[in-house]
Amino acid sequence: MTPCSRTIRRLATTGVALAALVTAPAATAVPGPSAPRASPSTRGPAAVRALLATLPDRVTDAALVRVAGRGLQPPYTGRAGRVAAGGRFPVGSVTKVFTDAVVLQLVAEGRIGIDEPVRPRLPEVIPAAYAGVTARQLLDHTSDLPRPARVPLDPYAVVAASFAADATAHPGRIPAPGTVQQYNGLNSFVAGLLVEQVTGRPFVRELDRRILRPLGLRHTGLSEDPVIAWAWSEGGLVSTPADLDTFLRALLEGRLLPPGRQRHLFEVPAVPSAPENTSCPTSAACFSAGGLMRIDLNGVEVWGKTGSSGGWTSGVFASAGQHRRSVHLLRPGAAATSAQQRARVEAVVKAALLG
């Protein structure tokens, strides 16, 4: 039995439908610069503390924010509303950065080339029309793969049904990988299957032995809640603010990748962002070959990733040079609009990092 087959059997036992696959909230991007730089008296933890003092409100029911970095020992953690400071939370699409780190480790080991087409590795999954799609294009979302389909739970079926549905809905469509960036969770499903094919082991086992155990992330792992676990390598992890900060710091400090591959974390393709791509704040691509978003906040370059799952929005960000890192977990209010939620995320990240 192949690792993919074992994954299918293991996950299929939950019997949970994947109806949320295309209706789950997309990852929330941090909009570009719009507000003035905070004054010295309100920078960093002080600014976050002041913001949290205004919560909860109609936009945010609860919040948990961790700020770490230069001059912050120990890191600052603040909360508002009903939220446990030491609890585990679903982190949604932040999972993608963990998945991409595993793929880049395999690239560093020479087990797959970053610009190698992936179809020969997964011929039973990827149609011939997508024969040119490379590992890099999965990671930086320029693969032009179709959107995930609504199918019963299991990663293999998600991928297969997605291509089948796209062929039916768009007969004769000619894929154009490498020409535009379209944030798409199917890339991460395929990346997870690629890890299994290359290593001969289940994705969750590789994630554990390559990332979680070496970094001591004892509170991070695939969710046991089938409503969340369906997202697998795309968005199925639960974690804590401390674990997420440990991961982000290790990733950016080069403790997970050798120097020759560390550069991929910051390689953003010189292509436009698709018009329907709401994850990037401008018309240019913003995701790197390591799955990180490059965002400009008042002239400060920051890198990170957002996610949404289980009623929470999450995010990890760091300013250039890691002078500051932030982790946030926000529970949106029932009546909050997407625009209001994006503005709140922007406010939190600015308060945390622009100090």
Side-chain angles (χ1 to χ4, degrees):
M1 183 180 294
T2 66
C4 291
S5 299
R6 288 195 296 271
T7 299
I8 294 168
R9 177 168 294 181
R10 182 177 65 253
L11 295 178
T13 57
T14 62
V16 178
L18 200 58
L21 186 57
V22 295
T23 59
T28 305
V30 181
S34 61
R37 183 183 294 275
S39 66
S41 62
T42 60
R43 290 177 179 172
V48 172
R49 190 179 297 112
L51 181 112
L52 292 175
T54 68
L55 305 179
D57 62 8
R58 64 185 302 273
V59 176
T60 306
D61 281 343
L64 184 59
V65 182
R66 178 184 174 95
V67 185
R70 184 177 300 172
L72 288 176
Q73 292 296 332
Y76 165 79
T77 299
R79 56 181 172 145
R82 299 183 63 179
V83 56
R88 299 174 79 207
F89 302 84
V91 300
S93 288
V94 175
T95 303
K96 292 179 173 65
V97 186
F98 286 76
T99 299
D100 291 358
V102 174
V103 174
L104 288 177
Q105 286 186 351
L106 295 175
V107 170
E109 293 165 9
R111 302 177 73 175
I112 184 171
I114 192 167
D115 293 311
E116 174 187 330
V118 298
R119 185 173 186 268
R121 306 275 188 164
L122 297 166
E124 73 282 15
V125 173
I126 302 176
Y130 294 84
V133 172
T134 66
R136 183 194 298 272
Q137 290 164 349
L138 293 178
L139 303 183
D140 68 15
H141 297 281
T142 60
S143 65
D144 200 26
L145 296 187
R147 291 293 195 170
R150 296 173 182 257
V151 295
L153 174 66
D154 89 55
Y156 202 102
V158 170
V159 176
S162 300
F163 284 114
D166 184 66
T168 300
H170 307 99
R173 184 173 86 89
I174 300 175
T179 62
V180 67
Q181 187 170 79
Q182 172 58 69
Y183 182 73
N184 181 359
L186 194 65
N187 290 306
S188 297
F189 276 103
V190 175
L193 295 178
L194 182 64
V195 168
E196 294 198 336
Q197 193 283 326
V198 171
T199 65
R201 289 182 286 267
F203 169 77
V204 292
R205 180 177 171 185
E206 287 299 292
L207 177 66
D208 183 62
R209 81 180 191 90
R210 290 173 174 272
I211 307 291
L212 306 186
R213 275 189 287 154
L215 295 182
L217 306 184
R218 297 184 296 109
H219 304 294
T220 302
L222 190 67
S223 175
E224 296 178 358
D225 181 349
V227 175
I228 296 171
W230 64 263
W232 197 52
S233 60
E234 187 269 341
L237 288 185
V238 293
S239 189
T240 65
D243 271 13
L244 290 176
D245 180 52
T246 296
F247 168 72
L248 182 64
R249 181 178 181 180
L251 181 68
L252 296 181
E253 286 183 348
R255 287 191 277 138
L256 295 177
L257 299 169
R261 297 304 171 184
Q262 183 75 2
R263 59 187 171 85
H264 297 313
L265 295 177
F266 311 106
E267 290 176 342
V268 177
V271 298
S273 178
E276 67 274 19
N277 186 8
T278 60
S279 297
C280 293
T282 70
S283 60
C286 69
F287 286 98
S288 74
L292 296 174
M293 303 164 64
R294 181 180 63 194
I295 305 294
D296 180 286
L297 289 181
N298 289 14
V300 176
E301 184 179 88
V302 302
W303 295 85
K305 186 70 184 71
T306 55
S308 180
S309 178
W312 292 88
T313 60
S314 57
V316 294
F317 283 92
S319 58
Q322 287 198 82
H323 297 159
R324 285 284 166 83
R325 299 183 307 276
S326 70
V327 178
H328 69 261
L329 291 151
L330 308 176
R331 187 171 64 219
T337 67
S338 296
Q340 289 172 329
Q341 292 179 49
R342 285 194 296 271
R344 178 57 47 80
V345 169
E346 177 184 7
V348 168
V349 175
K350 283 185 174 181
L353 297 186
L354 299 189

